[in-house]
Amino acid sequence: MADVIPIGRGQYRVIDGTRQRTAYAAGPPEARWVFLDGRVYVIDVRSGTDVARTGPAGTREGGRTPDEDLALSAPMPATVAAINVAPGQLVEPGDLLIVLEAMKMELPVRAPRAGRVKAVACRPGELVQPGIPLVELE
Amino acid sequence: MADVIPIGRGQYRVIDGTRQRTAYAAGPPEARWVFLDGRVYVIDVRSGTDVARTGPAGTREGGRTPDEDLALSAPMPATVAAINVAPGQLVEPGDLLIVLEAMKMELPVRAPRAGRVKAVACRPGELVQPGIPLVELE
Amino acid sequence: MFRSILIANRGEIAVRVIRACRELGIESIAVYSDADDRALHVALADRAVRIGPAPAAQSYLSGEAILQAARETGAEAIHPGYGFLAESHAFAASCAGAGLAFIGPPSGVIARMGSKTAARALAEQAGVPVVPGATPSDQRDETIAAAACRLGFPVVVKPSEGGGGIGMKTVPEEASLLPAIAQARREAAAAFGDGTLYVERLIDRPRHVEIQVVGDHHGRIVHLFERECSLQRRHQKIVEEAPSPAVTPALRARMGGAAVALARAAGYRNCGTVEFLLDGSGDEARFYFLEMNTRLQVEHPVTEQTTGVDLVRTQIVVAAGGPLPWTQDELRQRGHAIEVRVYAEDPERHDLPQAGPLLLYREPSMPGVRVDGGVAEGGDVSVHYDPLVAKLIAWGDTRDLARRRALAALRSYPILGVRTNGPFLIALLEHPRFIAGQLDTGLVEAERPVLLAGLAGAPPPEAVAVARHASVDAAAHDPNGPAVIDPWTLLRGWRG
Amino acid sequence: MFRSILIANRGEIAVRVIRACRELGIESIAVYSDADDRALHVALADRAVRIGPAPAAQSYLSGEAILQAARETGAEAIHPGYGFLAESHAFAASCAGAGLAFIGPPSGVIARMGSKTAARALAEQAGVPVVPGATPSDQRDETIAAAACRLGFPVVVKPSEGGGGIGMKTVPEEASLLPAIAQARREAAAAFGDGTLYVERLIDRPRHVEIQVVGDHHGRIVHLFERECSLQRRHQKIVEEAPSPAVTPALRARMGGAAVALARAAGYRNCGTVEFLLDGSGDEARFYFLEMNTRLQVEHPVTEQTTGVDLVRTQIVVAAGGPLPWTQDELRQRGHAIEVRVYAEDPERHDLPQAGPLLLYREPSMPGVRVDGGVAEGGDVSVHYDPLVAKLIAWGDTRDLARRRALAALRSYPILGVRTNGPFLIALLEHPRFIAGQLDTGLVEAERPVLLAGLAGAPPPEAVAVARHASVDAAAHDPNGPAVIDPWTLLRGWRG
């Protein structure tokens, strides 16, 4: 197993014999960010697992909004560019529900799971705020 | 008086109306280092004075060696390149006593005050260590 | 020369302009919204003025608030950067009305080149090739379909106004034409309040190659060669380079000449970019006018690094009435530059923009590498604005050295606390097609599964060891104090 | 190409070579003394090997320890950097004997050019002008005096071997000649154990201009133009630039040709520098061979920034047997580059070297600015080695832009915890004679009172306010934790 030596603020040397690499780390133990060889990992120190990939997506942004609400809301203030679904419609995971536009970027809102559209909570051209679901799934 | 706002680790904004500059600070209150407009100040926070210029030189390096010993010793491991004085000789402040050489640099050791040379504690070509006076003044 | 310039922007481009001002001895005036009161551009400017709350519409997009700040501070000129008000002809006109120099082309030129139809007409008039296409004045489905058939398939049906790929439909053959027209019209009307459609021939797997031009008040217009910007995701560039691997000297001269001809026809002044689609490569390649951007481009540094020209400084000098200091013949490309855009976004989750605190942020510093950044450690990436963190530009005497330098720099560029596309960019620069210079605008999407595959996998044991070590020992061993801090104290503007 | 290179050096030059290795895909192997176990070059290398205790004689100057590290790690080549063993012909020979490629010229060339007498003889033979002078074989005072009189006054009397200005005496007229000879002999004998003296004509207020050369294993030798290094304090360069404000194209061609002729006569390979004294400026100026440095120079970046050539990479390619990739005609200077050397030293106390902790250290990052640094925040400047902290290199299309960029960068380069010459360098770059390009090797000493005057004065109230604010509020307000730390915990190796 490699040795780890702190060499500066948030900076570590990973040593394996004479071979070594520089790593960086920051963040709380339950979601410690690590930079190594150009890759970034968010590690739960207790389990040693990658929070970003194994945990529910919601926990990554602070665990305050359920995963689905997050997936169905704007990631940033944005304008609704297109609405591709209507109430009652059945959707498959990954289906494009809504296209948002913000800062010249197109942001797709896709179905996180299969289901039926219960309501569409926005209008084309509307400026929507982050964190508020734009589509409700049954 | 300008406002000072911390804007990052050790980094401050100095604001005077809409005019502003960035400053940096680090170090203990009795010798706080400040960077502003390309200049560096070492300030005793209690008195607001420049430690580097107003305090005894010795305190700047930690107050462990008296000023004179410091002035008369090598600042780093060095080779004695030339000895310009002999015991008994009278010297004036600023007189060149010894020339050291280290890392391709010539380092002059000058008299911090007027006085008579009591002893010369090194030989030409000798490798001397920092902190040990090379000349003793009466 | 101006005594002071107000920079009507934020982030890396505001920082870039502030630095150009400092080098010229010009007072720089930053503006900021409430979300940016501790932003890097605010910290670096000589003066800073609050212009409104976080939403851009009430701050960086408010021409009124910006002109008010200019009046308060006695600014002599306004640099709009890119985005926000940079291509607002109304804002440029307001500046002129307020007696301020707008560092960009005249308002009328912005207006004309901002209209796709007018710009295309001007290009045709100037003898610049355009993609065959038409906006039928009779907008019935059948008339549009007939126009499409005359062009030959595949064709693209898209909204006449608008952008961002919204409402754009690719139609491979006549059978699917009518439904596509109907859907495009619905989407165009929904998105832009205008259902007018435009049809054009589809250039299959084109390259995106653009020419930098600059003109002064004395009638001189030159081009500064090309940039290739084919690598895009969701119609946004992420890697740009100069020169283009596809452009030969003869083609370069033809494209440069076309761009200058168009700029001259438009009465252009200051920096601008003529975008082309390139079909094929080498002397025989065909190019088609796409649009003209009447502002500084995000990717301007690759031109700066290869020509030795400071474009921002040139913008300022030209806006102040100064002459361009070089003739076309004096300009040369040297070596190769590659820019990668580091975005706070998650390539594994549909490039979803990310916001959050920069718990640790260290820009690489090495020969041949330039970082145009807009943030600092301890700051954050706000939800309110574009998630561009920084641009990393690598120069080398060969394309491969520039590529290796960019890779070495990305591997020395820790950004912790917010997910970025850094690892994705590394995978892209290591992709065989990038190495071979075989680029087209579809590459990123076509190769996305391959690129993402390189990012998958559990953290290696060394990463886990570092995470654990940081937990146990950081506070005790690190002389500069613990790097372990509570990110939630930083979550100003954090969504949730 | 080599699979791995051991870098027999430390500090910024070791970091520079590690970066070149990384770009070439070569494994980099750092060596370090006990004083450097947490140094930046150790952190950045792929592998690192301890070679001994802090004193250089037992670590970085120990050829044996370094060869042992090379054997242990299977290194294929050794890059010596500059200083330490870079000009040791014995070390170069040992490397060859151990089957390692020494990245530098052949051992015999180092030995020959390392002898002032032999180098001067070779220069004369190659038709390169030398300063009129002689080492009389009869070393009696009277014979030396006679030789001096033949040269014409003023003359310089100096030790035949040695350097650093030790034992060097300037003699304005014949009357003071004999005492000067006697004193120089005493000092030479004391300093170098050899009282042999050399007399040469004094070139009054010369410029120091040097030519970069590089040769490959295939007989090609080219020069990469000049660097002006006239700004020196205590015979050590502190500001270098390219091109020289005094050199015209015709003079450049003559000096370049002379340097290549000498390199060819010496059988030179790899990078080297031919130093000249320049008397006057313009086409009519005279130049005199001073010495040849058989290694990479500290100031190599100004050549890199103006020619677009990566000299360290070129050294590696050439040492591996590769051909130089360009002919003389393909090389061009573009724009202007200025390097300032940031030393831990106190200009107000006779440039006394300083050591101490880097409580805060932030390198500037801006277009046209390159920092070749060897330290990081939280590290320290050790008493054991050269106090060079970093080199800051600014490039601009004109000399004045390069100068302004260097100034802007120095004003954005906080180094706290150890006194540096940063403020002195700012004063130097703002001095009217620097602005006018009127440089000579005596400028810094002649203008020292003026330069220091700008540094005097009590801290302004804003600086005191920052100091007080940091004291009261840093811990509470700074989200990244207090910057106020106890420097004494860092004082490993601190003198006292």
Side-chain angles (χ1 to χ4, degrees):
Chain A
M1 189 59 200
D3 283 335
V4 175
I5 294 176
I7 54 169
R9 191 165 172 279
Q11 196 181 358
Y12 300 86
R13 192 139 54 104
V14 179
I15 300 178
D16 184 5
T18 59
R19 285 175 210 279
Q20 54 162 35
R21 288 171 289 173
T22 300
Y24 297 82
E30 64 276 16
R32 172 103 63 232
W33 294 70
V34 175
F35 180 89
L36 179 66
D37 288 339
R39 295 282 301 275
V40 174
Y41 308 93
V42 186
I43 295 169
D44 183 328
V45 171
R46 297 157 303 189
S47 62
T49 54
D50 191 340
V51 175
R53 286 188 188 74
T54 58
T59 62
R60 202 158 126 210
E61 274 83 17
R64 299 188 203 176
T65 49
D67 189 25
E68 184 167 307
D69 278 3
L70 192 72
L72 291 170
S73 65
M76 60 197 309
T79 307
V80 177
I83 297 174
N84 283 13
V85 288
Q89 194 174 328
L90 285 169
V91 296
E92 293 298 310
D95 275 6
L96 183 64
L97 309 180
I98 290 189
V99 179
L100 301 169
E101 202 184 359
M103 304 311 301
K104 298 187 95 185
M105 286 185 312
E106 205 182 315
L107 310 171
V109 176
R110 295 176 187 276
R113 61 170 172 88
R116 185 184 299 272
V117 175
K118 190 175 168 191
V120 174
C122 60
R123 294 185 318 280
E126 183 182 348
L127 181 71
V128 294
Q129 294 300 321
I132 299 151
L134 304 173
V135 172
E136 222 177 311
L137 290 184
E138 277 181 308
Chain B
M1 189 59 201
D3 282 336
V4 175
I5 295 177
I7 54 169
R9 191 163 171 282
Q11 196 181 357
Y12 300 85
R13 193 138 54 104
V14 179
I15 300 179
D16 185 5
T18 59
R19 285 174 210 280
Q20 53 163 36
R21 287 171 289 172
T22 300
Y24 297 83
E30 63 276 17
R32 172 107 62 234
W33 293 69
V34 175
F35 180 87
L36 179 66
D37 290 338
R39 296 281 302 274
V40 174
Y41 308 93
V42 186
I43 295 169
D44 184 326
V45 172
R46 298 158 302 190
S47 62
T49 54
D50 190 341
V51 176
R53 286 188 188 74
T54 57
T59 61
R60 199 158 124 211
E61 274 84 14
R64 299 188 205 178
T65 48
D67 188 25
E68 182 166 310
D69 278 5
L70 192 71
L72 291 170
S73 66
M76 60 197 307
T79 306
V80 178
I83 297 174
N84 284 14
V85 288
Q89 194 174 330
L90 285 170
V91 296
E92 292 298 310
D95 276 3
L96 183 64
L97 309 180
I98 290 188
V99 179
L100 301 170
E101 202 184 1
M103 302 314 301
K104 298 187 94 186
M105 287 185 310
E106 206 183 315
L107 310 171
V109 175
R110 293 176 189 277
R113 59 169 173 88
R116 185 185 298 274
V117 175
K118 190 174 168 192
V120 174
C122 59
R123 295 186 317 280
E126 184 182 348
L127 182 70
V128 293
Q129 295 300 322
I132 299 151
L134 304 173
V135 171
E136 222 175 313
L137 290 185
E138 276 181 309
Chain C
M1 185 49 70
F2 308 117
R3 267 177 300 128
S4 59
I5 295 177
L6 182 145
I7 298 108
N9 216 303
R10 63 179 300 284
E12 68 87 17
I13 194 60
V15 170
R16 171 76 185 88
V17 177
I18 289 165
R19 285 179 170 142
C21 288
R22 189 143 299 155
E23 290 163 5
L24 286 163
I26 297 169
E27 184 180 60
S28 57
I29 304 166
V31 295
Y32 63 96
S33 75
D34 290 338
D36 276 342
D37 60 345
R38 287 171 64 164
L40 186 63
H41 77 284
V42 178
L44 290 181
D46 294 323
R47 304 177 69 175
V49 184
R50 178 190 173 276
I51 49 166
Q58 296 164 63
S59 49
Y60 300 107
L61 279 167
S62 165
E64 210 173 298
I66 285 165
L67 289 177
Q68 174 60 28
R71 272 190 295 274
E72 272 173 33
T73 52
E76 294 187 347
I78 293 196
H79 195 302
Y82 53 72
F84 293 127
L85 296 168
E87 288 171 287
S88 162
H89 61 89
F91 179 67
S94 308
C95 288
L100 292 162
F102 176 81
I103 300 177
S107 164
V109 174
I110 299 176
R112 184 175 196 178
M113 302 317 276
S115 154
K116 276 184 197 167
T117 320
R120 187 183 155 95
L122 189 67
E124 287 184 294
Q125 198 181 308
V128 175
V130 297
V131 179
T135 307
S137 50
D138 174 353
Q139 281 273 313
R140 279 176 301 172
D141 289 10
E142 299 71 32
T143 327
I144 292 170
C149 290
R150 278 196 300 276
L151 293 170
F153 290 88
V155 297
V156 183
V157 181
K158 57 185 179 182
S160 181
E161 303 303 323
I166 294 162
M168 197 165 96
K169 304 290 158 192
T170 297
V171 185
E173 79 284 299
E174 196 173 346
S176 42
L177 191 53
L178 286 173
I181 290 171
Q183 197 188 344
R185 177 171 289 126
R186 278 198 307 275
E187 293 183 19
F192 309 110
D194 179 353
T196 309
L197 295 181
Y198 173 78
V199 286
E200 76 180 11
R201 187 189 294 157
L202 176 72
I203 309 296
D204 190 34
R205 300 168 70 85
R207 289 173 184 255
H208 176 117
V209 176
E210 60 190 27
I211 302 283
Q212 175 73 52
V213 297
V214 53
D216 64 17
H217 279 76
H218 310 280
R220 179 179 284 180
I221 299 182
V222 300
H223 71 85
L224 291 102
F225 316 106
E226 83 282 11
R227 293 183 287 260
E228 168 143 12
C229 315
S230 298
L231 296 185
Q232 311 185 349
R233 54 119 185 76
R234 294 186 287 103
H235 302 285
Q236 191 176 42
K237 301 161 186 170
I238 51 173
V239 178
E240 298 101 340
E241 60 186 292
S244 161
V247 174
T248 56
L251 178 60
R252 181 170 297 123
R254 278 163 56 215
M255 295 181 77
V260 168
L262 176 60
R264 198 172 293 287
Y268 206 84
R269 278 208 310 268
N270 218 289
C271 283
T273 295
V274 183
E275 296 191 332
F276 294 104
L277 289 181
L278 186 68
D279 189 10
S281 66
D283 287 356
E284 301 311 308
R286 286 163 175 236
F287 59 91
Y288 304 99
F289 172 69
L290 197 59
E291 63 175 324
M292 179 158 193
N293 295 321
T294 56
R295 52 163 167 85
L296 193 68
Q297 300 278 91
V298 177
E299 60 271 24
H300 73 276
V302 297
T303 297
E304 295 188 324
Q305 298 308 102
T306 48
T307 61
V309 164
D310 186 318
L311 286 171
V312 178
R313 186 178 189 228
T314 303
Q315 286 192 295
I316 296 170
V317 167
V318 164
L324 287 178
W326 2 262
T327 63
Q328 186 69 60
D329 284 348
E330 287 165 356
L331 294 165
R332 293 269 182 286
Q333 287 173 308
R334 173 191 275 177
H336 202 99
I338 296 174
E339 171 181 287
V340 295
R341 299 193 192 181
V342 179
Y343 279 106
E345 65 182 20
D346 190 344
E348 297 178 87
R349 293 173 80 207
H350 311 294
D351 303 322
L352 195 67
Q354 304 286 302
L358 292 159
L359 301 178
L360 187 144
Y361 177 84
R362 312 272 165 91
E363 291 180 355
S365 168
M366 49 186 76
V369 170
R370 160 179 168 185
V371 179
D372 280 20
V375 299
E377 186 167 301
D380 58 16
V381 178
S382 157
V383 296
H384 297 288
Y385 312 109
D386 185 278
L388 182 64
V389 173
K391 304 176 316 201
L392 187 153
I393 305 101
W395 183 92
D397 52 1
T398 64
R399 184 174 187 269
D400 196 55
L401 177 59
R403 187 185 72 87
R404 286 167 182 271
R405 281 189 166 163
L407 280 169
L410 283 168
R411 292 203 178 95
S412 308
Y413 192 179
I415 304 175
L416 301 183
V418 61
R419 188 69 66 171
T420 75
N421 64 342
F424 187 79
L425 291 169
I426 289 174
L428 191 51
L429 294 187
E430 285 182 327
H431 192 283
R433 281 187 57 198
F434 184 82
I435 295 173
Q438 289 163 356
L439 315 178
D440 66 59
T441 54
L443 188 153
V444 173
E445 288 317 320
E447 300 297 324
R448 189 182 280 271
V450 173
L451 296 168
L452 287 179
L455 307 188
E462 294 88 341
V464 176
V466 169
R468 291 219 165 97
H469 194 281
S471 164
V472 178
D473 293 338
H477 285 213
D478 185 337
N480 263 6
V484 182
I485 63 177
D486 179 5
W488 310 121
T489 61
L490 283 174
L491 290 185
R492 203 164 33 92
W494 188 252
R495 79 181 140 111
Chain D
M1 185 50 68
F2 308 117
R3 269 178 299 129
S4 59
I5 294 176
L6 183 143
I7 298 108
N9 216 303
R10 64 179 301 282
E12 68 87 18
I13 193 61
V15 169
R16 171 75 186 88
V17 177
I18 289 165
R19 285 181 170 141
C21 289
R22 188 144 301 155
E23 290 164 6
L24 287 162
I26 296 170
E27 183 179 61
S28 57
I29 304 167
V31 294
Y32 63 95
S33 75
D34 290 338
D36 275 343
D37 61 345
R38 288 171 65 163
L40 186 63
H41 77 284
V42 178
L44 290 181
D46 295 323
R47 303 177 70 175
V49 184
R50 179 192 173 276
I51 48 166
Q58 295 164 63
S59 49
Y60 300 107
L61 279 167
S62 164
E64 210 173 297
I66 286 166
L67 290 176
Q68 174 60 27
R71 272 190 295 273
E72 271 173 33
T73 52
E76 293 186 348
I78 293 196
H79 195 302
Y82 54 71
F84 294 127
L85 295 168
E87 288 172 286
S88 161
H89 61 87
F91 179 66
S94 309
C95 287
L100 293 162
F102 177 81
I103 300 177
S107 164
V109 175
I110 300 176
R112 185 174 195 179
M113 302 315 277
S115 154
K116 276 183 197 167
T117 320
R120 187 183 154 95
L122 189 67
E124 287 184 294
Q125 196 181 312
V128 176
V130 297
V131 178
T135 308
S137 49
D138 174 352
Q139 281 274 314
R140 278 175 302 171
D141 289 9
E142 299 72 32
T143 326
I144 292 171
C149 290
R150 277 194 301 277
L151 294 171
F153 290 89
V155 297
V156 184
V157 181
K158 57 184 179 181
S160 180
E161 303 303 322
I166 294 162
M168 197 164 97
K169 304 290 158 193
T170 298
V171 185
E173 79 284 298
E174 195 174 345
S176 42
L177 191 54
L178 286 172
I181 290 170
Q183 197 187 344
R185 176 172 289 127
R186 278 197 306 275
E187 292 183 20
F192 309 111
D194 179 355
T196 308
L197 295 181
Y198 173 78
V199 285
E200 76 181 8
R201 187 189 295 158
L202 175 72
I203 310 297
D204 190 33
R205 300 169 68 85
R207 289 175 184 253
H208 175 119
V209 176
E210 60 190 27
I211 302 283
Q212 175 73 53
V213 297
V214 52
D216 63 16
H217 278 76
H218 309 282
R220 179 179 284 178
I221 299 182
V222 300
H223 71 86
L224 290 102
F225 314 106
E226 83 281 13
R227 292 182 288 260
E228 168 143 13
C229 315
S230 298
L231 296 185
Q232 310 185 349
R233 57 119 185 73
R234 293 187 286 107
H235 302 286
Q236 191 175 42
K237 302 161 186 171
I238 51 173
V239 179
E240 299 101 339
E241 61 185 293
S244 162
V247 174
T248 55
L251 178 60
R252 180 170 296 124
R254 278 163 56 212
M255 293 181 77
V260 168
L262 175 60
R264 198 172 293 286
Y268 206 83
R269 277 207 311 269
N270 218 291
C271 283
T273 295
V274 183
E275 296 191 332
F276 294 102
L277 288 181
L278 186 68
D279 189 10
S281 67
D283 288 356
E284 301 310 308
R286 288 166 172 233
F287 59 90
Y288 303 99
F289 171 70
L290 198 59
E291 62 174 324
M292 180 159 193
N293 295 321
T294 56
R295 53 162 166 88
L296 194 67
Q297 300 278 92
V298 177
E299 60 270 24
H300 74 275
V302 296
T303 297
E304 295 188 323
Q305 297 308 102
T306 47
T307 62
V309 164
D310 186 319
L311 286 171
V312 178
R313 187 178 188 227
T314 303
Q315 287 192 296
I316 296 171
V317 167
V318 164
L324 286 177
W326 3 261
T327 63
Q328 186 70 59
D329 284 348
E330 286 164 356
L331 294 165
R332 293 269 181 286
Q333 286 173 307
R334 173 191 277 176
H336 202 99
I338 297 174
E339 171 181 288
V340 295
R341 300 192 192 183
V342 179
Y343 279 106
E345 65 182 22
D346 191 344
E348 295 177 88
R349 292 174 79 207
H350 311 294
D351 303 323
L352 195 67
Q354 303 287 302
L358 292 159
L359 301 178
L360 188 145
Y361 176 84
R362 312 272 164 91
E363 290 180 356
S365 168
M366 50 186 75
V369 171
R370 160 179 168 184
V371 179
D372 280 19
V375 299
E377 185 167 302
D380 58 16
V381 177
S382 158
V383 295
H384 296 289
Y385 313 109
D386 185 277
L388 181 64
V389 173
K391 304 175 317 201
L392 189 153
I393 306 100
W395 182 91
D397 52 0
T398 63
R399 183 173 187 268
D400 196 55
L401 178 59
R403 186 185 72 87
R404 285 166 182 272
R405 281 189 165 162
L407 280 168
L410 282 168
R411 292 203 178 93
S412 307
Y413 192 177
I415 304 176
L416 302 183
V418 60
R419 188 68 66 170
T420 75
N421 64 342
F424 187 79
L425 290 169
I426 290 174
L428 191 51
L429 294 187
E430 285 181 329
H431 192 283
R433 280 187 57 198
F434 184 82
I435 294 173
Q438 289 163 356
L439 316 178
D440 66 59
T441 54
L443 189 154
V444 174
E445 289 317 319
E447 299 297 324
R448 188 181 281 270
V450 173
L451 297 167
L452 288 179
L455 307 188
E462 294 88 341
V464 176
V466 169
R468 291 219 166 97
H469 195 280
S471 163
V472 177
D473 293 338
H477 285 212
D478 186 339
N480 262 7
V484 182
I485 63 177
D486 179 3
W488 310 121
T489 62
L490 282 174
L491 290 184
R492 200 164 36 92
W494 187 255
R495 80 178 142 111

